[in-house]
Amino acid sequence: MRRMVVFVVVGVVVVSVALGLGLGLGLTIGRRSGGIKDTFLKRCQKFKDLNCQNVWDAFQRAYINRDPCTVTTDAYDPFIEAVSFKPQCNRVLFWSKTKEVAHSFTQKRDCLVTLEDTPLGAMVDGLTWCGKKGSNETFSSGCPEYSACENNPMRSYWNRASAALADAACGDVSVMLSGSIQTPFDPESIFATIEVTRLHSPRVRRLNVVLVMEKNAVTNCENKSLKNLQNVLDAGIGYGCKEVTRDQIDKCSSDPEIACGACW
Ligand SMILES: *[C@@H]1O[C@H](CO)[C@@H](O)[C@H](O)[C@H]1NC(C)=O
Ligand SMILES: *[C@@H]1O[C@H](CO)[C@@H](O)[C@H](O)[C@H]1NC(C)=O
């Protein structure tokens, strides 16, 4: 009799622990898959004029319940529409192989914005996401590698968002390119294949290249790839290139006394 009571008590304890663990795991998994949505909405809230629930709904509609290699750039059109991004005159900064330095500048100075500072890029910068056929969930692991297939949810997203920023760019446009690589204007880059091709005169007046010169610089504004950039630019868009040291950029980033226009 006594022994039976002990068994029952032990049994209850074991079942409770198992249930607790199961619930705990379930919650953890649930929280993990809800993670991107929470992050998305939290970042979205910083942009006061957005209806974040609508923006999220439009975003996830692009890839949800689809084979993750069949998400085209057009699938994000409703998302772009929901963001209704306004023209950005004299303040767009593109970057190619200079993400860190470009962001170190725009995080401190608000005269220029990169894609990741705008609602087009901010909500998902640094995140991984995809859907799966037969599920309404957003997954943040087990997604195809960026290069695994052309029409993957993240690649299509960044291509579409980059195009939208280029469409909104007007007046003077800037780009930070790297002086530390052989070909600062890489014909395969998003900047070359998507952004440059969408800059048109007279909406865009001028393209200013800031060639970032670190200590290991290997090239300068005379590089042939930059001549190619000038050649592919829409006729009527002015062009300039300046070699600017990393020190100079950092100094300007942290000194609000220096007018942005005088940074380079
Ligand atoms: C996914 O969502 C759609 C529309 O909201 C619904 O009709 C469908 O049953 C859902 N599918 C699954 C697998 O939950
Ligand atoms: C400059 O650009 C060309 C391609 O346009 C490239 O092949 C070359 O290596 C570059 N030169 C230097 C010194 O970086």
Side-chain angles (χ1 to χ4, degrees), residues 59-79:
F59 170 76
Q60 54 131 42
R61 223 180 299 135
Y63 59 83
I64 220 82
N65 201 1
R66 287 202 200 185
D67 176 322
C69 277
T70 63
V71 178
T72 59
T73 53
D74 310 355
Y76 289 102
D77 287 354
F79 164 77

Side-chain angles (χ1 to χ4, degrees), residues 28-45 52-53 55-64 76 79 121-132 136-143 153-154 157-158:
T28 311
I29 290 163
R31 210 179 297 139
R32 200 172 292 155
S33 53
I36 171 167
K37 183 177 179 183
D38 292 348
T39 305
F40 188 104
L41 291 175
K42 201 176 291 166
R43 292 183 184 179
C44 180
Q45 247 94 78
C52 292
Q53 191 59 49
V55 173
W56 165 257
D57 287 344
F59 170 76
Q60 54 131 42
R61 223 180 299 135
Y63 59 83
I64 220 82
Y76 289 102
F79 164 77
M123 272 89 89
V124 295
D125 189 23
L127 304 184
T128 296
W129 70 93
C130 63
K132 282 191 176 40
N136 281 352
E137 264 192 84
T138 297
F139 297 88
S140 49
S141 60
C143 297
M154 292 186 286
Y157 175 86
W158 288 113

Side-chain angles (χ1 to χ4, degrees), residues 70-254:
T70 63
V71 178
T72 59
T73 53
D74 310 355
Y76 289 102
D77 287 354
F79 164 77
I80 299 293
E81 202 162 305
V83 169
S84 72
F85 195 56
K86 305 288 180 302
Q88 304 287 308
C89 296
N90 307 317
R91 62 194 309 254
V92 170
L93 175 64
F94 295 115
W95 55 265
S96 182
K97 305 272 161 57
T98 53
K99 183 173 182 176
E100 189 273 323
V101 57
H103 288 163
S104 80
F105 183 80
T106 61
Q107 271 156 21
K108 297 198 188 104
R109 304 296 305 260
D110 55 14
C111 49
L112 295 178
V113 289
T114 65
L115 179 59
E116 295 75 13
D117 301 309
T118 75
L120 296 172
M123 272 89 89
V124 295
D125 189 23
L127 304 184
T128 296
W129 70 93
C130 63
K132 282 191 176 40
K133 190 108 191 109
S135 164
N136 281 352
E137 264 192 84
T138 297
F139 297 88
S140 49
S141 60
C143 297
E145 289 286 315
Y146 206 76
S147 56
C149 48
E150 179 80 17
N151 291 323
N152 89 58
M154 292 186 286
R155 188 165 163 158
S156 292
Y157 175 86
W158 288 113
N159 287 346
R160 184 65 190 86
S162 302
L165 181 64
D167 290 343
C170 76
D172 286 7
V173 172
S174 306
V175 59
M176 276 189 189
L177 299 178
S178 170
S180 303
I181 53 176
Q182 289 293 321
T183 311
F185 179 62
D186 173 1
E188 310 266 300
S189 64
I190 289 187
F191 176 60
T193 57
I194 295 176
E195 291 161 342
V196 167
T197 62
R198 290 191 173 239
L199 302 179
H200 297 296
S201 173
R203 173 173 53 89
V204 173
R205 201 180 70 88
R206 187 180 166 84
L207 177 68
N208 294 313
V209 174
V210 175
L211 192 63
V212 181
M213 307 301 277
E214 309 252 5
K215 289 188 179 63
N216 60 354
V218 296
T219 190
N220 56 36
C221 282
E222 299 308 311
N223 180 264
K224 184 145 176 300
S225 78
L226 294 168
K227 302 289 168 219
N228 296 341
L229 167 55
Q230 238 175 306
N231 290 338
V232 298
L233 263 190
D234 202 12
I237 298 183
Y239 170 87
C241 178
K242 272 197 188 160
E243 294 154 20
V244 184
T245 63
R246 176 65 199 253
D247 284 350
Q248 201 176 328
I249 295 172
D250 289 344
K251 188 159 160 263
C252 198
S253 300
S254 50

